[in-house]
Amino acid sequence: MKIVKILEQPVRLKSNISNALVNFSTHTVSVVAIVTDKIINGKPATGLAFNSIGRFDQSGILRNRMIPRLLSAKPGLLINPETERLCPAKVLKCAMQNEKPGGHGDRAHAASALEMAVWDLNAKLEDEPAAITIARHFGRSLAIPKISVYAAGGYYHEGQPARALQDELKGYQDSGFTMFKMKIGGAPMDQDLKRIESALEIGGAGENLAVDANGRFTLEQAIAYGQAMTPYALRWYEEPGDPLDYHLNRQLADAYEGPLATGENLFSRQDVKNLLMYAGMRRNQDIFQMDPGLSYGITEYATMITEMEKNGYDRKFAYPHGGQLMGFHIVAGLGLGGCEVYPGVFQPMGGFQDGAVIENGMATIPDAPGFGFERKSNLAVPFAELCG
Ligand code: MG
């Protein structure tokens, strides 16, 4: 089996929304296709993926560095001799040739898109959902194809009336979600507390609502919010401070008794190891949100989970950031706690396949082969354009 060509194209997200720090109206994502010489149903077998959501396209790193490395690899270098298929770990290693360790930034997202496309390809070659391919690869059974999902939204919309947040959450509830996440830190604290209270009027108990500050707060602000929110007993309090400030996280964990969540801005096993060692993360309570679509793909992500388990943390507390189909399959395949979903935002990448049914906060893995991008009509368009 041989790679014939690798295609990449930036796609603009449809999202004029903001969290505490970022407006997403200019955000883009790279869609990639790895086209092989293997033929399925009369067409070249092709693996598709993109570099998650919430960052930018990686056209430069992909086109100038990583794609040329893969296309010039010696015959057989990227192949698993047992399966005679592309090996995700070998593809990642080749894409990362001549790159120094550490400093995991945009290249981690670029490499993810390529590594993930290999999983999509291999699942399609088996004619099975990627969740099953992932589970088999890591020696796990996919006994429970239903996974817990929560709706992420509650962004700051320009000129949004106060009731709009409730209407948004009500819409998620009507479509089967029972747990929600909303943004904080983009308004003064008294206004944010009112927003939380109005969200709780829809969500009910605090355990149905998480809040996300997107790394905005100083320690003092993080503690002040924590104290003010303690009576709500929220499901979790996400990224209160700078995601790399482990000392802040540790001090906040001492001051705030509810669950904290972080990890979506850590892109390597070593970053996660440091988080486990120095950030005061509490076992069987705090939530880990590393996103395989931003952090070199499933190969590296699986080592993060191993690192968690080696240190006594349960993978059921892993809820990958991302809110898209790749995360859905990874949560199912690796038996993680649950999956973020963006049902209404970050289109065409956010959310699941057309007609996805959410019941009581649970979703069933779609039966399409691979990650099933082809079954999400608005996402199928950029991939169809990419592949001509
Ligand atoms: Mg977040």
Side-chain angles (χ1 to χ4, degrees), residues 52-267:
S52 198
I53 291 171
R55 303 299 185 284
F56 290 90
D57 73 76
Q58 302 301 329
S59 298
I61 296 174
L62 285 164
R63 290 175 186 230
N64 299 333
R65 283 154 49 191
M66 295 185 171
I67 292 174
R69 287 170 191 153
L70 294 180
L71 293 178
S72 62
K74 288 199 185 96
L77 186 78
L78 307 177
I79 301 293
N80 176 344
E82 280 169 31
T83 60
E84 297 186 347
R85 295 201 174 142
L86 286 177
C87 168
K90 289 183 175 182
V91 167
L92 175 63
K93 191 174 173 198
C94 179
M96 286 293 290
Q97 266 173 54
N98 295 324
E99 302 271 344
K100 287 184 176 178
H104 309 283
D106 281 31
R107 73 171 186 206
H109 321 333
S112 288
L114 295 169
E115 199 264 9
M116 295 282 222
V118 178
W119 291 95
D120 183 63
L121 171 72
N122 287 346
K124 284 173 175 161
L125 290 169
E126 292 290 342
D127 195 25
E128 66 189 12
I132 295 178
T133 314
I134 295 165
R136 187 189 313 111
H137 180 90
F138 291 100
R140 303 183 64 84
S141 63
L142 194 65
I144 309 163
K146 272 185 187 250
I147 63 166
S148 170
V149 292
Y150 72 92
Y155 284 81
Y156 297 96
H157 297 255
E158 253 178 52
Q160 184 189 51
R163 262 200 49 209
L165 174 63
Q166 286 195 330
D167 291 344
E168 180 189 344
L169 300 189
K170 187 83 177 59
Y172 300 148
Q173 200 167 48
D174 290 345
S175 56
F177 289 95
T178 55
M179 187 192 153
F180 317 98
K181 185 167 82 184
M182 58 176 282
K183 298 298 176 182
I184 58 169
M189 188 163 82
D190 59 333
Q191 284 178 34
D192 271 342
L193 295 176
K194 285 203 184 92
R195 292 174 72 247
I196 293 171
E197 284 168 14
S198 66
L200 286 171
E201 283 173 23
I202 304 299
E207 65 183 7
N208 299 329
L209 183 69
V211 294
D212 184 359
N214 290 94
R216 166 79 191 264
F217 298 147
T218 62
L219 176 64
E220 292 69 29
Q221 290 169 321
I223 290 175
Y225 262 80
Q227 282 170 344
M229 295 189 301
T230 294
Y232 304 134
L234 297 173
R235 179 67 185 83
W236 70 67
Y237 177 13
E238 179 171 326
E239 278 200 329
D242 186 301
L244 292 177
D245 192 341
Y246 301 141
H247 186 58
L248 181 153
N249 202 80
R250 175 178 284 277
Q251 290 173 282
L252 182 60
D254 287 341
Y256 178 70
E257 65 186 29
L260 296 172
T262 190
E264 70 178 75
N265 289 299
L266 305 184
F267 304 143

